[in-house]
Amino acid sequence: DAKTTQPNSMESNEEEPVHLPCNHSTISGTDYIHWYRQLPSQGPEYVIHGLTSNVNNRMASLAIAEDRKSSTLILHRATLRDAAVYYCILPPSGTYKYIFGTGTRLKVLA
Amino acid sequence: GAGVSQTPSNKVTEKGKYVELRCDPISGHTALYWYRQSLGQGPEFLIYFQGTGAADDSGLPNDRFFAVRPEGSVSTLKIQRTERGDSAVYLCASSAGLGASPLHFGNGTRLTVT
């Protein structure tokens, strides 16, 4: 199973972009890259996922390196509501087993 | 529409007692997951179902933990002879179970074993 590495914590100012990195050097060719976030006292919520190409949705963008060994979740304008723990997850292809690590705790400063 | 519902939201029990935690997934979702989360940690995988069968139960910590999903919808996580170390938030999630379908989580059941 591919292992992911994320910084323990990051800080951002409100209204500025945030780039959350994830390293997954052992990724296999068919592993999807998923991002979830967990707000305080809530269950995790889906943010975005991708395979090879960069992806955009209303919440965020996902930039995937050409060799797929790393990816970056981009929040274009951080708000206070984006303060959460962000998890990068690679379920092994052919399974639906999502293993969460410790994630990156994002603090947004007003 | 209705999301994933977990009941109860809080459960306090004495050491040694039996508890059941219930999860109502989103209607039509074939995959269902159980996780537990301790303070300051990420969710820890316990088990997931595809339909009625447990597709992977490798995360269940020991034989005191058991989960069922008899009709492919509602699931119950059962814990026998509870221990103080079982205290955690137990999270349930469901997904359409196709390809990279996202997981939808409930808000969890906070279990406290005294």
Side-chain angles (χ1 to χ4, degrees):
Chain A
D1 298 353
K3 178 179 164 52
T4 61
T5 303
Q6 299 178 253
N8 288 333
S9 63
M10 292 184 65
E11 279 189 3
S12 172
N13 293 318
E14 201 177 6
E15 304 291 316
E16 291 187 356
V18 182
H19 291 232
L20 297 161
C22 181
N23 287 324
H24 30 78
S25 58
T26 59
I27 191 171
S28 72
T30 52
D31 288 346
Y32 277 83
I33 301 159
H34 294 249
W35 283 82
Y36 283 76
R37 72 179 185 181
Q38 188 170 22
L39 303 171
S41 302
Q42 295 187 23
E45 66 174 337
Y46 167 79
V47 178
I48 201 167
H49 75 278
L51 183 62
T52 55
S53 304
N54 295 343
V55 184
N56 300 293
N57 66 21
R58 63 175 180 80
M59 288 180 72
S61 296
L62 176 59
I64 301 172
E66 193 169 337
D67 64 4
R68 302 210 326 124
K69 292 179 188 265
S70 65
S71 60
T72 302
L73 180 71
I74 302 166
L75 308 179
H76 295 285
R77 288 178 69 224
T79 70
L80 296 177
R81 195 195 172 277
D82 291 322
V85 179
Y86 287 79
Y87 298 96
C88 167
I89 303 167
L90 275 64
S93 58
T95 81
Y96 301 103
K97 187 174 177 179
Y98 291 70
I99 304 298
F100 288 73
T102 52
T104 297
R105 182 173 298 278
L106 176 66
K107 185 175 180 179
V108 180
L109 305 174
Chain B
V4 175
S5 175
Q6 292 188 247
T7 53
S9 55
N10 280 284
K11 175 73 176 177
V12 180
T13 191
E14 291 180 351
K15 179 175 178 296
K17 298 288 189 185
Y18 167 82
V19 296
E20 290 190 352
L21 311 179
R22 178 185 167 108
C23 174
D24 283 81
I26 292 172
S27 177
H29 277 190
T30 59
L32 184 145
Y33 298 75
W34 284 101
Y35 290 83
R36 74 175 173 181
Q37 188 170 28
S38 301
L39 196 62
Q41 303 295 313
E44 174 192 3
F45 171 84
L46 296 178
I47 184 172
Y48 91 87
F49 291 87
Q50 191 65 252
T52 60
D56 190 323
D57 64 358
S58 62
L60 294 176
N62 52 58
D63 61 5
R64 295 187 298 106
F65 288 74
F66 190 70
V68 295
R69 194 185 186 202
E71 297 177 357
S73 178
V74 170
S75 177
T76 305
L77 179 66
K78 309 180 181 199
I79 310 174
Q80 298 178 321
R81 304 183 304 280
T82 51
E83 299 177 357
R84 292 196 180 90
D86 299 334
S87 297
V89 176
Y90 288 81
L91 294 162
C92 176
S94 70
S95 84
L98 301 173
S101 301
L103 272 59
H104 299 263
F105 281 83
N107 284 330
T109 293
R110 181 176 298 279
L111 175 66
T112 303
V113 182
T114 62

